[in-house]
Amino acid sequence: DAMVIQNPRYQVTQFGKPVTLSCSQTLNHNVMYWYQQKSSQAPKLLFHYYDKDFNNEADTPDNFQSRRPNTSFCFLDIRSPGLGDAAMYLCATSRVLSTQDSPLHFGNGTRLTVT
Amino acid sequence: KNEVEQSPQNLTAQEGEFITINCSYSVGISALHWLQQHPGGGIVSLFMLSSGKKKHGRLIATINIQEKHSSLHITASHPRDSAVYICAAPSGGTSYGKLTFGQGTILTVHP
């Protein structure tokens, strides 16, 4: 089945130690998103790629970076994780950029713990 | 005031009951998303609809674009339906890839 896969499911990192979360998709969708979701809060969009074009949300901290080496893969790099970065990180894809024209397909998320 | 408002915020039901969750939005959109999230889990897209009604199994979603209102119905509810249900509206403007999320409705279905 075509899907969005996130690895790992759970990630523990130390304060200040760089960490990378990965997302892959078999849907061949043009758009890939990274969301951050803290406990009992709505997901917050960090950035998205439309093909190779990277779009950063204005309030996304510089500590968060992303790479998309090809259509299938997208990575979220947190350069120096702080305790406040502990959250569920959700990857999503869509066929086209407009969320008025295409549903989002989410992965199962990576829960990040910072110790 | 959030641009997307859901009600109720918490909903408890007995197995078999008919459930309705409502969503009102103030932004001008042509489509609305309904999402489901189980505790500690990822998000599943249930519906994206721009008019009328859509049905998938026991789930039915309706929307009235003119009144800026949508409802999600669950018929013959089951404990496995227990989850957070979220409606989300495209943010529009130049941020076409962005969704504005409602605060979610926590549904608990007891056997």
Side-chain angles (χ1 to χ4, degrees):
Chain A
D1 285 342
M3 57 177 61
V4 181
I5 301 167
Q6 290 188 243
N7 284 305
R9 187 78 174 87
Y10 299 92
Q11 176 74 57
V12 180
T13 191
Q14 292 178 332
F15 182 94
K17 185 175 181 181
V19 65
T20 295
L21 310 182
S22 73
C23 177
S24 64
Q25 54 131 340
T26 59
L27 297 158
N28 203 32
H29 280 173
N30 292 317
V31 192
M32 295 187 79
Y33 307 83
W34 279 105
Y35 284 88
Q36 178 194 62
Q37 187 180 27
K38 295 188 177 179
S39 181
S40 301
Q41 295 184 18
K44 176 181 178 297
L45 182 63
L46 295 174
F47 24 60
H48 74 268
Y49 274 95
Y50 178 57
D51 286 338
K52 295 182 179 179
D53 292 335
F54 176 72
N55 294 273
N56 201 39
E57 291 299 301
D59 56 354
T60 298
D62 292 339
N63 197 25
F64 291 84
Q65 304 286 323
S66 185
R67 296 170 283 135
R68 189 178 186 185
N70 53 53
T71 300
S72 300
F73 286 88
C74 195
F75 299 99
L76 170 63
D77 301 308
I78 308 176
R79 292 193 295 188
S80 182
L83 298 178
D85 296 327
M88 174 76 88
Y89 290 88
L90 295 159
C91 174
T93 73
S94 64
R95 184 177 54 82
V96 296
L97 185 59
S98 171
T99 50
Q100 305 212 62
D101 300 312
S102 178
L104 268 63
H105 298 257
F106 286 87
N108 284 328
T110 293
R111 181 165 296 283
L112 178 69
T113 301
V114 181
T115 61
Chain B
K1 182 174 163 62
N2 198 11
E3 291 179 321
V4 180
E5 294 279 346
Q6 286 184 238
S7 63
Q9 292 191 14
N10 287 279
L11 183 56
T12 301
Q14 289 297 124
E15 183 173 357
E17 286 185 358
F18 181 84
I19 287 163
T20 296
I21 299 170
N22 294 301
C23 177
S24 298
Y25 50 92
S26 57
V27 294
I29 62 166
S30 61
L32 188 86
H33 299 251
W34 280 101
L35 310 168
Q36 178 196 56
Q37 187 172 31
H38 282 99
I43 292 175
V44 174
S45 178
L46 298 175
F47 296 103
M48 187 187 78
L49 67 167
S50 56
S51 65
K53 180 170 76 173
K54 284 191 175 180
K55 184 175 188 293
H56 186 255
R58 293 180 294 106
L59 272 62
I60 303 167
T62 63
I63 191 169
N64 185 318
I65 290 288
Q66 287 73 28
E67 294 186 4
K68 296 182 179 174
H69 181 269
S70 177
S71 295
L72 177 69
H73 307 284
I74 305 175
T75 62
S77 60
H78 190 275
R80 65 175 174 265
D81 297 327
S82 299
V84 179
Y85 292 84
I86 307 166
C87 68
S91 295
T94 58
S95 301
Y96 291 117
K98 202 167 182 178
L99 290 173
T100 298
F101 294 89
Q103 67 271 51
T105 295
I106 302 172
L107 172 64
T108 305
V109 181
H110 294 293

